[in-house]
């Protein structure tokens, strides 16, 4: 029986700041705190982590910034993930990468995330990737313990197909509210497969990772090269500050009402994303971008 009456839906900002690349930024705690405060002032209050990011070190770096001003925690939403084990972890006893969604691993992973992030609760916990080795009773027991103790407020999955998502939901007593998946003009799978139809019909929030293709905009990328003249034309037509704004509006205008996780560490690029949220891209222009990204005319 799903105890829906005890849950309220996860509500984070539609633009989420991803923390996967945090260690690459080489910031000290004060620099990170300043960045987080600027984001909060712009309405970006949700931060996406995973236990493994930065070889298990990104959460700690974030926690060190929060320690400087602990009161900011209550104004933010923290997402973390569990389920992947890396052999490169400090003091790891393992020799290879594997997935672990056992009760013990989920509970330990969340305790570590809480300790590293300097917080006593996560707003949202995701299972990072589907595993071929799952005991649903264990996952369910772990999730229920985490929910009942107030250590995790909401739950979801990441990189799951609709079919698998549905099977998990049938086995897990807490509502699974989010599927975090790769979506961008460089990765159209979610559009092509009809997955968005599933999310919309089940009121599941799709959260797009690598929405700018993880840096493909600066690479010599075929799809981007193909898109650029159109993006420049639309930039003039919609009078926006950058071609990137069009790519953001292309995501945010989709009826799935997806949220998106930016991986940038540039306030200017965060501003572009927010600008993209405010543009009403016409349906025809949405399809012009989509068709060029596909590289094939519509049937
Ligand atoms: N659930 C999962 O399996 C999964 C997988 C991957 C990622 N994620 C989450 O998604 C978040 C975002 O992923 P991502 O970092 O790949 O997203 P992204 O925003 O598509 O890519 C960010 C990277 O691209 C660069 N970039 C973005 N726009 C650019 C532009 N206009 N010009 C030049 N460079 C640009 C950024 O550099 P600058 O910092 O210099 O702007 C940064 O290195 C991660 O932090 C993580 O939280 C989840």
């Amino acid at each position: 029986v799903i105890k829906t009456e005890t849950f309220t839906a996860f509500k984070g900002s539609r633009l989420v700041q991803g923390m996967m690349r945090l260690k690459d930024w080489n910031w000290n705690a004060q620099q990170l705190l300043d960045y987080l405060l600027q984001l909060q002032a712009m309405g970006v209050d949700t931060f996406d982590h995973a236990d493994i990011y930065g070889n298990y070190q990104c959460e700690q770096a974030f926690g060190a910034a929060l320690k400087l001003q602990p009161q900011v925690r209550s104004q933010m939403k923290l997402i973390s993930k569990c389920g992947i084990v890396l052999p490169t972890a400090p003091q790891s006893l393992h020799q290879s990468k594997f997935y672990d969604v056992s009760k013990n691993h989920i509970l330990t992973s969340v305790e570590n995330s809480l300790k590293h992030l300097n917080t006593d609760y996560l707003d949202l916990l995701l299972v990072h990737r589907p595993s071929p080795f799952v005991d649903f009773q264990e996952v369910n027991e772990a999730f229920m313990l985490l929910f009942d103790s107030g250590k995790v407020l909401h739950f979801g999955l990441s990189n799951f197909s609709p079919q698998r998502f549905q099977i998990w939901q049938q086995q897990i007593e807490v509502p699974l509210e989010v599927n975090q998946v790769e979506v961008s003009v460089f990765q159209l799978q979610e559009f092509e497969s009809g997955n968005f139809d599933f999310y919309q019909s089940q009121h599941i929030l799709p959260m797009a990772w690598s929405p700018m293709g993880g840096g493909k905009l600066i690479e010599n990328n075929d799809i981007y090269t193909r898109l650029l003249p159109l993006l420049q034309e639309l930039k003039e037509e919609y009078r926006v500050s950058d071609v990137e704004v069009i790519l953001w509006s292309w995501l945010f205008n989709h009826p799935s009402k997806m949220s998106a996780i930016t991986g940038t560490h540039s306030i200017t690029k965060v501003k572009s994303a927010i600008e993209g949220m405010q543009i009403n891209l016409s349906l025809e222009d949405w399809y012009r971008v989509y068709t060029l990204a596909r590289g094939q005319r519509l049937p």
Side-chain angles (χ1 to χ4, degrees), residues 18-21 25 48 53 81 128-129 158-159 180 209-215 217-218 244 261-266 269:
M19 304 311 303
M20 181 178 75
R21 301 176 193 271
W25 305 341
D48 184 66
Y53 285 168
K81 315 186 193 79
H128 208 148
R129 286 196 174 270
S158 178
N159 302 304
Q180 196 178 105
W209 61 260
S210 291
M212 295 294 116
L217 304 186
I218 42 172
E244 219 176 308
I261 320 169
T262 177
T264 192
H265 68 308
S266 142
K269 287 182 198 154

Side-chain angles (χ1 to χ4, degrees), residues 215-234:
K216 290 197 178 73
L217 304 186
I218 42 172
E219 286 166 18
N220 204 359
N221 179 281
D222 285 352
I223 299 174
Y224 192 59
T225 309
R226 198 159 68 221
L227 276 170
L228 200 52
L230 172 63
L231 296 177
Q232 270 155 349
E233 182 193 322
L234 295 175

Side-chain angles (χ1 to χ4, degrees), residues 101-281:
V101 286
S102 64
K103 179 179 172 182
N104 185 43
H105 178 78
I106 294 172
L107 295 176
T108 309
S109 180
V110 170
E111 287 303 336
N112 286 337
S113 292
L114 295 177
K115 188 173 71 196
H116 292 158
L117 290 165
N118 251 309
T119 184
D120 47 14
Y121 67 97
L122 294 175
D123 294 276
L124 176 64
L125 174 71
L126 308 177
V127 172
H128 208 148
R129 286 196 174 270
S131 161
F133 196 101
V134 183
D135 181 333
F136 286 119
Q137 201 176 329
E138 295 222 3
V139 181
N140 191 45
E141 282 177 20
F143 279 15
M144 292 313 286
L145 279 170
L146 291 168
F147 178 72
D148 288 340
S149 61
K151 288 180 179 172
V152 176
L153 307 186
H154 302 275
F155 297 85
L157 304 174
S158 178
N159 302 304
F160 275 61
S161 69
Q163 187 203 15
R164 243 173 158 162
F165 196 105
Q166 221 159 9
I167 292 168
W168 273 59
Q169 183 61 91
Q170 282 156 8
Q171 303 296 323
I172 307 290
E173 287 175 80
V174 294
L176 301 172
E177 302 177 35
V178 169
N179 197 19
Q180 196 178 105
V181 285
E182 186 177 6
V183 186
S184 71
V185 285
F186 308 102
Q187 179 47 270
L188 299 174
Q189 175 64 20
E190 294 291 314
F191 296 106
E192 305 279 13
S193 58
N195 289 3
F196 281 120
D197 303 354
F198 169 74
Y199 307 137
Q200 211 178 128
S201 71
Q202 301 299 308
H203 306 288
I204 292 159
L205 174 68
M207 200 176 265
W209 61 260
S210 291
M212 295 294 116
K216 290 197 178 73
L217 304 186
I218 42 172
E219 286 166 18
N220 204 359
N221 179 281
D222 285 352
I223 299 174
Y224 192 59
T225 309
R226 198 159 68 221
L227 276 170
L228 200 52
L230 172 63
L231 296 177
Q232 270 155 349
E233 182 193 322
L234 295 175
K235 173 190 168 230
E236 301 303 322
E237 195 182 316
Y238 286 87
R239 295 167 192 267
V240 295
S241 62
D242 199 287
V243 288
E244 219 176 308
V245 177
I246 300 297
L247 290 179
W248 284 109
S249 71
W250 184 79
L251 293 170
F252 286 128
N253 271 272
H254 189 263
S256 63
K257 297 190 172 64
M258 74 178 94
S259 61
I261 320 169
T262 177
T264 192
H265 68 308
S266 142
I267 287 293
T268 312
K269 287 182 198 154
V270 171
K271 281 185 182 153
S272 293
I274 292 171
E275 196 181 338
M277 224 182 281
Q278 291 151 355
I279 303 300
N280 285 322
L281 200 65

